[in-house]
Amino acid sequence: MTDEAAETRAEAQSAGGAEAGAEAAAQAPAEPVEPAGPVPLGVVRTPTGHAGVDAHLARLADADHLGADGHVEVYEDVHRGLREALTALDAPPLPGPYENRS
C-alpha cells in the first residue's frame, strides 16, 4: 500500500469514527439513567411434597424483592433450614410411648 493510499484510508476511517461518535452522542440520554430496582427472576419453584422443605424454598421468593446485597441473608437462612431438614432424616426414630418396655 502506498503512503498516499494509507493516508486516504486513515482519513476515511477517522471521519467515519467521528460520525459514529456524533450519532452515539445524539442517541445517548441527556440525563443519567437510574439503576433499576430489584426484579423477580421468575424462577418456578416446584413443590416437593415435604411441608418443611417447601416452606424453606418458598422463602427464596423473599430475595426477589431485595437488592443483591440482601440475597446472602436469605440464601444462608434457606440453606440452614434445608440442612436441618436433611439432618432430621438421618436421626433415629424416637420410641413411641409404649415401645420402651423391658
Side-chain angles (χ1 to χ4, degrees), residues 17-31:
E19 290 173 8
E23 287 178 20
Q27 293 176 356
E31 297 178 22

Side-chain angles (χ1 to χ4, degrees), residues 4-90:
E4 190 175 304
E7 288 176 16
T8 305
R9 186 172 188 188
E11 289 173 4
Q13 287 176 346
S14 167
E19 290 173 8
E23 287 178 20
Q27 293 176 356
E31 297 178 22
V33 178
E34 293 294 322
V39 178
L41 294 175
V43 176
V44 178
R45 293 168 195 88
T46 306
T48 64
H50 187 279
V53 171
D54 289 339
H56 291 298
L57 293 177
R59 169 107 165 84
L60 288 173
D62 294 345
D64 285 346
H65 309 290
L66 300 172
D69 56 342
H71 290 189
V72 174
E73 181 181 342
V74 173
Y75 294 156
E76 286 178 349
D77 183 46
V78 171
H79 183 258
R80 186 180 318 103
L82 292 174
R83 187 176 51 226
E84 289 171 1
L86 284 172
T87 302
L89 293 174
D90 290 337

